[in-house]
Amino acid sequence: MNEIAAVLERTGLLSPEEREHWKMAWLSTVDHKRIGILYMMTGLVFFVIGGIEALLIRLQLAVPRSTLLHPDTYNMVFTMHGTTMIFLVAMPVLFGLANYIVPLQIGARDMAFPRLNAYSFWLVPFGGILLHFSFLSGGAPAVGWFAYAPLSETPYSSQSGVDYWALSLLVLGIGSVGANINFIATVLCSRAPQMTLRRLPLFSWMIFVNAFLVILALPVLNAGLVMLLIDRLLNTHFFLMPGGSAIMWQHIFWAFGHPEVYIVAIPAFGLLSEIIPVFSRKPIFGYEFVAGSTVAIAFLSLGVWAHHMFTVGLGHTIDLFFVASSMLIAIPTGVKVLNWSATMIGGRIHFDTPMLFCIAALVQFLLAGLTGVSHAVAPLDWQTKNSYYLVAHFHFVFVGLIVFAILGALHYWVPKMSGRMLSERLGKWTFWLMVIGFNMTFITQHFLGLAGMPRRVFTYSDLPGWGWMNMVATVGTFFMTAASLLFVWNLIVSLLNGRKATDNPWNAWTLEWATTSPPPHENFRALPPIQSRRPLWDIAHPDRPDPVVGSRGRIDQFKPEKNKTSIICFILSETGFFGVLILAFLYYNASPQPGPNSHELDLLTTGLFSICLFASSFTIWRAETGLRNNQQRRMIGWLGATIVLGGIFIAGQGFEYWHLFKSGVSVSSNLFATTFFTLTGFHGLHVCVGLIALLILLGLALAGDSRKKPWPALDAVGLYWHFVDVVWVFVLSVVYILPRLQ
Amino acid sequence: MNTQQFLLSAWMWNPVVLAIAAAALALYLIAFRAADRIGWFVLALLVFLLTLVSPINALADGYLFSAHMLQHISLLLIVPGLLLVGLPRSFSLKWRPRILAHPLAGWIAGVGAMWFWHWPTLCNAAVTSRSVYAVQTVSLLILGTLFWSQVIAPREAERLSPPGAVLYLFSACVSCSALGIILTFSPLTVCPVYAIPAADPLGITNMIRADWAITPERDQQIGGLLMWVPMCLIYLGAIFAQIARWFGEPAPARTTSA
């Protein structure tokens, strides 16, 4: 194994002191560059697993009436393929790239929270192991990556596969939220002083915008997963009859699922926006439009999920609105495609491997967009939704755009990461094998879909044309496999004896190329001046620099305190989670149902302990004032009072629960009880977390830590505590007060 | 009555509404003369008139919840927005008391108006009682102006910064979407007076139910969807304007020092 250490040391990925304990040095790292590489390596491992699953699917479908895989095995394989590729490949690799590149591009030393960064990363392999453990526990989930209820419920999937699926997605979801809170805090709080917000390179800008999408969309899925798990483990029926609603699961899943498409697409847009200008030797055409349309895409994507449900039967009225709004997304994406094309027009295009992949991604994405618009038309969608046409469409997005952009980006940035160039010859072979294989597989699937082949089937009859088209699709996957192997080979060869990479081998213009390859521990020895969006161009061409991008002062220089920033982002994210739970409570309790209902609740007792909780918002505010006025004892006193008041609230809630249990009300009694315990229980859990944080603060304050100036922890925890109180205002009104008014 | 007859005959030239519009125009001309932004102001008044005298008003008056929602969106968002754009850039909105100038006050005004007036009792009362209806109309205009003034106050200095405004608009959009989603999918009738019309003074119930095929359930769905989708698109449009404002800042001359 010492050869690996030797190779790593030779390329500069390991310092000589670390040689003896090189594994620990990498596994215990909090350096954003190493974490980025770990993310990508994890993604690569799961890419191999997901790729083998894809091969199995295609081998089974190569000929009609094949018996290679058992139908159940086939269902497991395609569920795992989808889940793996999205949650364990696309997201980790993109977050890994962002982890590596964003701090360099903005001239930061590291991410804002290096330990949170390591934590977020480690949740990925653990989530992945949890998911794959289901194979050993009696069978992987076999319900598709969207796990539609009621198929995913206990009566129809009695084995624990779906439980592992839901748990692992929860783990991964929490990791993603953590990582993206970190991206926001890094971009806002750790930028180099001259790197104003409007000078951000487009990849960093898009990761920043995308991070908001992640922290808003993932909690929606988390809420749905929690409900599914409660259904399965505690015998309730959120998504099951009687009373429950299977459609509700689809709403929750797609309210997450549609933004999710953009969560992996927007970083890919960012990659194209970095690479295409460099290899066209021109600045990006219309930076403002590319940056602005990203915001548009992010916002639009949050509100159009119902177009995934045209075939469910929501009614013409709903369909009509979502046809219109879904088509709108074509505008900002079209703007981007035009900008990238216009960047290439008149440029001196260098057809190196990164650029080839980006051009291919652009073309493939254009086709994906066209079929996407056809899915926005509800009547057309009814015909093609559950066919291979749809499979072809989203693989054009996920592979054609995202995987191609990632491959382009790796060929572009690996020299920066390893200090070694990749072989252009192998790169071009990879490219052509990939493009040919991809189009063989997926262009064919459009026609298969239009010929009526349904998706999710384990085999098919020998209908005219189906056999040979499926065979072509299967052969294509082997081309792609060869391309992937070639790429890994290229990586290994370049690491072993690749040509040394200079600091800036592509003559690019963003800050990551201003440091050595690979960059030193804290990234930069000295930062160049930054006055425009292409600082390295300005240095290379002092006679004709880019126009200065203004700094508006207050806003462009906006650099909030990072603890507060991260807690505000966390609160935003939690709002999404509680929003779903509150909406679910309203929905399920809209009409009264047999069994316990809100009139069993004792408003008086609850009112009393609610007052304690609200009072604690006041006491923590007093504690903050005490800290500001440097009155340590007073601050500690108010902090203690807050903890006592919060404790009373939890005790009161415990008393209420005990009372309900005693009178025979449990979480599975009826949907009122289910939603009541879910909503108040999760709120209670948050209060407990808040209490733990407060106790830690109290301990630190007693130990004298709060004498340090500044002590931002109290402000941050205070914000969280206020948030928990505000949530209780809503819970109290929706659960206790609203039903009494009717 | 068929659709064409209805569309031609259902204009109610309410003298109060006309007088308010005329007075507003007169005030504007006295205060600012024919400032170059007067076009926006006139457009605001036209939308205001269209909302309150056209067949939309007739439909909202006890027939269609969705028409009521159109009025609501128009009075809360479109008219106040256009009014503010129509004021000269030098005009200062001096909100008194000062607390009204706080972004949170504006946000609560804009979002709260939505939630408040869709409380079933109030929603019903606004249809059955003319005075409640008048209060609702005026309050929507005022609350809408409060909401928008954070984003498009005539003076640049009185506006939120572009990133702040984006968050302000986005969170408002989410809150309204939440209500829209509730209205769309709620099995309950939010505004029962529309579901069981008490009287049919215009004789158009048959036309709505048969020719237009709008059942009470579908009516509420359309209402909810109007709030969920097109209304959010208005916020979204404003968000684009903010992004344009953010990137459109003129660049200062290049400084030589690093």
mmCIF file with all atom_site columns, all heavy atoms in Angstrom, chain B residues 215-231:
data_model
loop_
_atom_site.group_PDB
_atom_site.id
_atom_site.type_symbol
_atom_site.label_atom_id
_atom_site.label_alt_id
_atom_site.label_comp_id
_atom_site.label_asym_id
_atom_site.label_entity_id
_atom_site.label_seq_id
_atom_site.pdbx_PDB_ins_code
_atom_site.Cartn_x
_atom_site.Cartn_y
_atom_site.Cartn_z
_atom_site.occupancy
_atom_site.B_iso_or_equiv
_atom_site.pdbx_formal_charge
_atom_site.auth_seq_id
_atom_site.auth_comp_id
_atom_site.auth_asym_id
_atom_site.auth_atom_id
_atom_site.pdbx_PDB_model_num
ATOM 1   N N   . THR B 1 215 ? -68.329 23.961 -12.055 1.00 0.00 ? 215 THR B N   1
ATOM 2   C CA  . THR B 1 215 ? -69.024 23.524 -10.849 1.00 0.00 ? 215 THR B CA  1
ATOM 3   C C   . THR B 1 215 ? -68.427 24.256 -9.655  1.00 0.00 ? 215 THR B C   1
ATOM 4   O O   . THR B 1 215 ? -67.326 24.814 -9.765  1.00 0.00 ? 215 THR B O   1
ATOM 5   C CB  . THR B 1 215 ? -68.826 22.020 -10.646 1.00 0.00 ? 215 THR B CB  1
ATOM 6   O OG1 . THR B 1 215 ? -67.420 21.785 -10.534 1.00 0.00 ? 215 THR B OG1 1
ATOM 7   C CG2 . THR B 1 215 ? -69.378 21.212 -11.802 1.00 0.00 ? 215 THR B CG2 1
ATOM 8   N N   . PRO B 1 216 ? -69.116 24.268 -8.518  1.00 0.00 ? 216 PRO B N   1
ATOM 9   C CA  . PRO B 1 216 ? -68.537 24.952 -7.351  1.00 0.00 ? 216 PRO B CA  1
ATOM 10  C C   . PRO B 1 216 ? -67.158 24.405 -6.993  1.00 0.00 ? 216 PRO B C   1
ATOM 11  O O   . PRO B 1 216 ? -66.267 25.178 -6.627  1.00 0.00 ? 216 PRO B O   1
ATOM 12  C CB  . PRO B 1 216 ? -69.546 24.668 -6.237  1.00 0.00 ? 216 PRO B CB  1
ATOM 13  C CG  . PRO B 1 216 ? -70.832 24.448 -6.939  1.00 0.00 ? 216 PRO B CG  1
ATOM 14  C CD  . PRO B 1 216 ? -70.496 23.812 -8.249  1.00 0.00 ? 216 PRO B CD  1
ATOM 15  N N   . GLU B 1 217 ? -66.967 23.094 -7.092  1.00 0.00 ? 217 GLU B N   1
ATOM 16  C CA  . GLU B 1 217 ? -65.648 22.527 -6.741  1.00 0.00 ? 217 GLU B CA  1
ATOM 17  C C   . GLU B 1 217 ? -64.590 23.048 -7.695  1.00 0.00 ? 217 GLU B C   1
ATOM 18  O O   . GLU B 1 217 ? -63.506 23.463 -7.297  1.00 0.00 ? 217 GLU B O   1
ATOM 19  C CB  . GLU B 1 217 ? -65.673 20.994 -6.817  1.00 0.00 ? 217 GLU B CB  1
ATOM 20  C CG  . GLU B 1 217 ? -66.609 20.303 -5.848  1.00 0.00 ? 217 GLU B CG  1
ATOM 21  C CD  . GLU B 1 217 ? -68.065 20.366 -6.290  1.00 0.00 ? 217 GLU B CD  1
ATOM 22  O OE1 . GLU B 1 217 ? -68.325 20.208 -7.509  1.00 0.00 ? 217 GLU B OE1 1
ATOM 23  O OE2 . GLU B 1 217 ? -68.939 20.605 -5.429  1.00 0.00 ? 217 GLU B OE2 1
ATOM 24  N N   . ARG B 1 218 ? -64.913 23.007 -8.987  1.00 0.00 ? 218 ARG B N   1
ATOM 25  C CA  . ARG B 1 218 ? -63.954 23.476 -9.972  1.00 0.00 ? 218 ARG B CA  1
ATOM 26  C C   . ARG B 1 218 ? -63.672 24.965 -9.789  1.00 0.00 ? 218 ARG B C   1
ATOM 27  O O   . ARG B 1 218 ? -62.551 25.426 -9.948  1.00 0.00 ? 218 ARG B O   1
ATOM 28  C CB  . ARG B 1 218 ? -64.492 23.190 -11.377 1.00 0.00 ? 218 ARG B CB  1
ATOM 29  C CG  . ARG B 1 218 ? -63.562 23.635 -12.469 1.00 0.00 ? 218 ARG B CG  1
ATOM 30  C CD  . ARG B 1 218 ? -64.023 23.181 -13.819 1.00 0.00 ? 218 ARG B CD  1
ATOM 31  N NE  . ARG B 1 218 ? -63.593 21.810 -14.068 1.00 0.00 ? 218 ARG B NE  1
ATOM 32  C CZ  . ARG B 1 218 ? -63.686 21.234 -15.268 1.00 0.00 ? 218 ARG B CZ  1
ATOM 33  N NH1 . ARG B 1 218 ? -64.200 21.893 -16.282 1.00 0.00 ? 218 ARG B NH1 1
ATOM 34  N NH2 . ARG B 1 218 ? -63.270 20.014 -15.446 1.00 0.00 ? 218 ARG B NH2 1
ATOM 35  N N   . ASP B 1 219 ? -64.712 25.692 -9.411  1.00 0.00 ? 219 ASP B N   1
ATOM 36  C CA  . ASP B 1 219 ? -64.570 27.127 -9.192  1.00 0.00 ? 219 ASP B CA  1
ATOM 37  C C   . ASP B 1 219 ? -63.533 27.395 -8.105  1.00 0.00 ? 219 ASP B C   1
ATOM 38  O O   . ASP B 1 219 ? -62.620 28.211 -8.281  1.00 0.00 ? 219 ASP B O   1
ATOM 39  C CB  . ASP B 1 219 ? -65.940 27.689 -8.795  1.00 0.00 ? 219 ASP B CB  1
ATOM 40  C CG  . ASP B 1 219 ? -65.896 29.177 -8.540  1.00 0.00 ? 219 ASP B CG  1
ATOM 41  O OD1 . ASP B 1 219 ? -65.122 29.857 -9.233  1.00 0.00 ? 219 ASP B OD1 1
ATOM 42  O OD2 . ASP B 1 219 ? -66.638 29.636 -7.657  1.00 0.00 ? 219 ASP B OD2 1
ATOM 43  N N   . GLN B 1 220 ? -63.663 26.665 -6.990  1.00 0.00 ? 220 GLN B N   1
ATOM 44  C CA  . GLN B 1 220 ? -62.698 26.885 -5.904  1.00 0.00 ? 220 GLN B CA  1
ATOM 45  C C   . GLN B 1 220 ? -61.301 26.463 -6.348  1.00 0.00 ? 220 GLN B C   1
ATOM 46  O O   . GLN B 1 220 ? -60.304 27.107 -6.004  1.00 0.00 ? 220 GLN B O   1
ATOM 47  C CB  . GLN B 1 220 ? -63.107 26.107 -4.662  1.00 0.00 ? 220 GLN B CB  1
ATOM 48  C CG  . GLN B 1 220 ? -62.075 26.254 -3.559  1.00 0.00 ? 220 GLN B CG  1
ATOM 49  C CD  . GLN B 1 220 ? -62.584 25.789 -2.209  1.00 0.00 ? 220 GLN B CD  1
ATOM 50  O OE1 . GLN B 1 220 ? -63.766 25.870 -1.919  1.00 0.00 ? 220 GLN B OE1 1
ATOM 51  N NE2 . GLN B 1 220 ? -61.689 25.306 -1.375  1.00 0.00 ? 220 GLN B NE2 1
ATOM 52  N N   . GLN B 1 221 ? -61.230 25.376 -7.147  1.00 0.00 ? 221 GLN B N   1
ATOM 53  C CA  . GLN B 1 221 ? -59.925 24.939 -7.647  1.00 0.00 ? 221 GLN B CA  1
ATOM 54  C C   . GLN B 1 221 ? -59.275 26.022 -8.494  1.00 0.00 ? 221 GLN B C   1
ATOM 55  O O   . GLN B 1 221 ? -58.093 26.313 -8.342  1.00 0.00 ? 221 GLN B O   1
ATOM 56  C CB  . GLN B 1 221 ? -60.104 23.684 -8.481  1.00 0.00 ? 221 GLN B CB  1
ATOM 57  C CG  . GLN B 1 221 ? -59.594 22.470 -7.785  1.00 0.00 ? 221 GLN B CG  1
ATOM 58  C CD  . GLN B 1 221 ? -59.595 21.260 -8.678  1.00 0.00 ? 221 GLN B CD  1
ATOM 59  O OE1 . GLN B 1 221 ? -59.882 21.343 -9.884  1.00 0.00 ? 221 GLN B OE1 1
ATOM 60  N NE2 . GLN B 1 221 ? -59.275 20.129 -8.104  1.00 0.00 ? 221 GLN B NE2 1
ATOM 61  N N   . ILE B 1 222 ? -60.076 26.601 -9.393  1.00 0.00 ? 222 ILE B N   1
ATOM 62  C CA  . ILE B 1 222 ? -59.506 27.660 -10.237 1.00 0.00 ? 222 ILE B CA  1
ATOM 63  C C   . ILE B 1 222 ? -59.027 28.810 -9.364  1.00 0.00 ? 222 ILE B C   1
ATOM 64  O O   . ILE B 1 222 ? -57.942 29.362 -9.563  1.00 0.00 ? 222 ILE B O   1
ATOM 65  C CB  . ILE B 1 222 ? -60.541 28.151 -11.271 1.00 0.00 ? 222 ILE B CB  1
ATOM 66  C CG1 . ILE B 1 222 ? -60.946 27.011 -12.197 1.00 0.00 ? 222 ILE B CG1 1
ATOM 67  C CG2 . ILE B 1 222 ? -59.987 29.311 -12.089 1.00 0.00 ? 222 ILE B CG2 1
ATOM 68  C CD1 . ILE B 1 222 ? -62.040 27.377 -13.173 1.00 0.00 ? 222 ILE B CD1 1
ATOM 69  N N   . GLY B 1 223 ? -59.850 29.153 -8.359  1.00 0.00 ? 223 GLY B N   1
ATOM 70  C CA  . GLY B 1 223 ? -59.451 30.224 -7.448  1.00 0.00 ? 223 GLY B CA  1
ATOM 71  C C   . GLY B 1 223 ? -58.118 29.917 -6.781  1.00 0.00 ? 223 GLY B C   1
ATOM 72  O O   . GLY B 1 223 ? -57.211 30.750 -6.753  1.00 0.00 ? 223 GLY B O   1
ATOM 73  N N   . GLY B 1 224 ? -58.013 28.706 -6.257  1.00 0.00 ? 224 GLY B N   1
ATOM 74  C CA  . GLY B 1 224 ? -56.774 28.309 -5.585  1.00 0.00 ? 224 GLY B CA  1
ATOM 75  C C   . GLY B 1 224 ? -55.606 28.324 -6.538  1.00 0.00 ? 224 GLY B C   1
ATOM 76  O O   . GLY B 1 224 ? -54.514 28.811 -6.215  1.00 0.00 ? 224 GLY B O   1
ATOM 77  N N   . LEU B 1 225 ? -55.838 27.819 -7.739  1.00 0.00 ? 225 LEU B N   1
ATOM 78  C CA  . LEU B 1 225 ? -54.746 27.753 -8.712  1.00 0.00 ? 225 LEU B CA  1
ATOM 79  C C   . LEU B 1 225 ? -54.315 29.148 -9.160  1.00 0.00 ? 225 LEU B C   1
ATOM 80  O O   . LEU B 1 225 ? -53.134 29.386 -9.405  1.00 0.00 ? 225 LEU B O   1
ATOM 81  C CB  . LEU B 1 225 ? -55.183 26.926 -9.920  1.00 0.00 ? 225 LEU B CB  1
ATOM 82  C CG  . LEU B 1 225 ? -55.183 25.412 -9.675  1.00 0.00 ? 225 LEU B CG  1
ATOM 83  C CD1 . LEU B 1 225 ? -56.048 24.709 -10.690 1.00 0.00 ? 225 LEU B CD1 1
ATOM 84  C CD2 . LEU B 1 225 ? -53.767 24.873 -9.713  1.00 0.00 ? 225 LEU B CD2 1
ATOM 85  N N   . LEU B 1 226 ? -55.295 30.070 -9.253  1.00 0.00 ? 226 LEU B N   1
ATOM 86  C CA  . LEU B 1 226 ? -54.929 31.443 -9.621  1.00 0.00 ? 226 LEU B CA  1
ATOM 87  C C   . LEU B 1 226 ? -53.963 32.017 -8.595  1.00 0.00 ? 226 LEU B C   1
ATOM 88  O O   . LEU B 1 226 ? -53.004 32.713 -8.927  1.00 0.00 ? 226 LEU B O   1
ATOM 89  C CB  . LEU B 1 226 ? -56.181 32.321 -9.691  1.00 0.00 ? 226 LEU B CB  1
ATOM 90  C CG  . LEU B 1 226 ? -57.023 32.204 -10.959 1.00 0.00 ? 226 LEU B CG  1
ATOM 91  C CD1 . LEU B 1 226 ? -58.326 32.970 -10.789 1.00 0.00 ? 226 LEU B CD1 1
ATOM 92  C CD2 . LEU B 1 226 ? -56.254 32.743 -12.156 1.00 0.00 ? 226 LEU B CD2 1
ATOM 93  N N   . MET B 1 227 ? -54.231 31.699 -7.342  1.00 0.00 ? 227 MET B N   1
ATOM 94  C CA  . MET B 1 227 ? -53.357 32.208 -6.290  1.00 0.00 ? 227 MET B CA  1
ATOM 95  C C   . MET B 1 227 ? -52.019 31.470 -6.284  1.00 0.00 ? 227 MET B C   1
ATOM 96  O O   . MET B 1 227 ? -50.975 32.044 -6.034  1.00 0.00 ? 227 MET B O   1
ATOM 97  C CB  . MET B 1 227 ? -54.040 32.027 -4.949  1.00 0.00 ? 227 MET B CB  1
ATOM 98  C CG  . MET B 1 227 ? -53.238 32.574 -3.807  1.00 0.00 ? 227 MET B CG  1
ATOM 99  S SD  . MET B 1 227 ? -54.059 32.245 -2.268  1.00 0.00 ? 227 MET B SD  1
ATOM 100 C CE  . MET B 1 227 ? -54.854 33.781 -1.986  1.00 0.00 ? 227 MET B CE  1
ATOM 101 N N   . TRP B 1 228 ? -52.065 30.203 -6.597  1.00 0.00 ? 228 TRP B N   1
ATOM 102 C CA  . TRP B 1 228 ? -50.872 29.362 -6.542  1.00 0.00 ? 228 TRP B CA  1
ATOM 103 C C   . TRP B 1 228 ? -49.923 29.696 -7.701  1.00 0.00 ? 228 TRP B C   1
ATOM 104 O O   . TRP B 1 228 ? -48.740 29.939 -7.514  1.00 0.00 ? 228 TRP B O   1
ATOM 105 C CB  . TRP B 1 228 ? -51.322 27.906 -6.581  1.00 0.00 ? 228 TRP B CB  1
ATOM 106 C CG  . TRP B 1 228 ? -50.248 26.868 -6.497  1.00 0.00 ? 228 TRP B CG  1
ATOM 107 C CD1 . TRP B 1 228 ? -48.909 27.058 -6.385  1.00 0.00 ? 228 TRP B CD1 1
ATOM 108 C CD2 . TRP B 1 228 ? -50.456 25.449 -6.516  1.00 0.00 ? 228 TRP B CD2 1
ATOM 109 N NE1 . TRP B 1 228 ? -48.267 25.851 -6.328  1.00 0.00 ? 228 TRP B NE1 1
ATOM 110 C CE2 . TRP B 1 228 ? -49.186 24.852 -6.410  1.00 0.00 ? 228 TRP B CE2 1
ATOM 111 C CE3 . TRP B 1 228 ? -51.581 24.621 -6.619  1.00 0.00 ? 228 TRP B CE3 1
ATOM 112 C CZ2 . TRP B 1 228 ? -49.025 23.464 -6.405  1.00 0.00 ? 228 TRP B CZ2 1
ATOM 113 C CZ3 . TRP B 1 228 ? -51.406 23.256 -6.605  1.00 0.00 ? 228 TRP B CZ3 1
ATOM 114 C CH2 . TRP B 1 228 ? -50.146 22.684 -6.498  1.00 0.00 ? 228 TRP B CH2 1
ATOM 115 N N   . VAL B 1 229 ? -50.472 29.722 -8.927  1.00 0.00 ? 229 VAL B N   1
ATOM 116 C CA  . VAL B 1 229 ? -49.581 29.833 -10.089 1.00 0.00 ? 229 VAL B CA  1
ATOM 117 C C   . VAL B 1 229 ? -49.454 31.265 -10.637 1.00 0.00 ? 229 VAL B C   1
ATOM 118 O O   . VAL B 1 229 ? -48.383 31.857 -10.505 1.00 0.00 ? 229 VAL B O   1
ATOM 119 C CB  . VAL B 1 229 ? -49.981 28.815 -11.179 1.00 0.00 ? 229 VAL B CB  1
ATOM 120 C CG1 . VAL B 1 229 ? -49.004 28.871 -12.319 1.00 0.00 ? 229 VAL B CG1 1
ATOM 121 C CG2 . VAL B 1 229 ? -50.032 27.410 -10.594 1.00 0.00 ? 229 VAL B CG2 1
ATOM 122 N N   . PRO B 1 230 ? -50.487 31.861 -11.221 1.00 0.00 ? 230 PRO B N   1
ATOM 123 C CA  . PRO B 1 230 ? -50.262 33.187 -11.829 1.00 0.00 ? 230 PRO B CA  1
ATOM 124 C C   . PRO B 1 230 ? -49.836 34.240 -10.818 1.00 0.00 ? 230 PRO B C   1
ATOM 125 O O   . PRO B 1 230 ? -49.000 35.092 -11.116 1.00 0.00 ? 230 PRO B O   1
ATOM 126 C CB  . PRO B 1 230 ? -51.621 33.545 -12.427 1.00 0.00 ? 230 PRO B CB  1
ATOM 127 C CG  . PRO B 1 230 ? -52.384 32.297 -12.483 1.00 0.00 ? 230 PRO B CG  1
ATOM 128 C CD  . PRO B 1 230 ? -51.882 31.424 -11.390 1.00 0.00 ? 230 PRO B CD  1
ATOM 129 N N   . MET B 1 231 ? -50.401 34.150 -9.611  1.00 0.00 ? 231 MET B N   1
ATOM 130 C CA  . MET B 1 231 ? -50.025 35.146 -8.620  1.00 0.00 ? 231 MET B CA  1
ATOM 131 C C   . MET B 1 231 ? -48.543 35.043 -8.297  1.00 0.00 ? 231 MET B C   1
ATOM 132 O O   . MET B 1 231 ? -47.846 36.047 -8.163  1.00 0.00 ? 231 MET B O   1
ATOM 133 C CB  . MET B 1 231 ? -50.850 34.927 -7.372  1.00 0.00 ? 231 MET B CB  1
ATOM 134 C CG  . MET B 1 231 ? -50.571 35.966 -6.348  1.00 0.00 ? 231 MET B CG  1
ATOM 135 S SD  . MET B 1 231 ? -51.922 36.028 -5.199  1.00 0.00 ? 231 MET B SD  1
ATOM 136 C CE  . MET B 1 231 ? -51.139 36.916 -3.913  1.00 0.00 ? 231 MET B CE  1
#
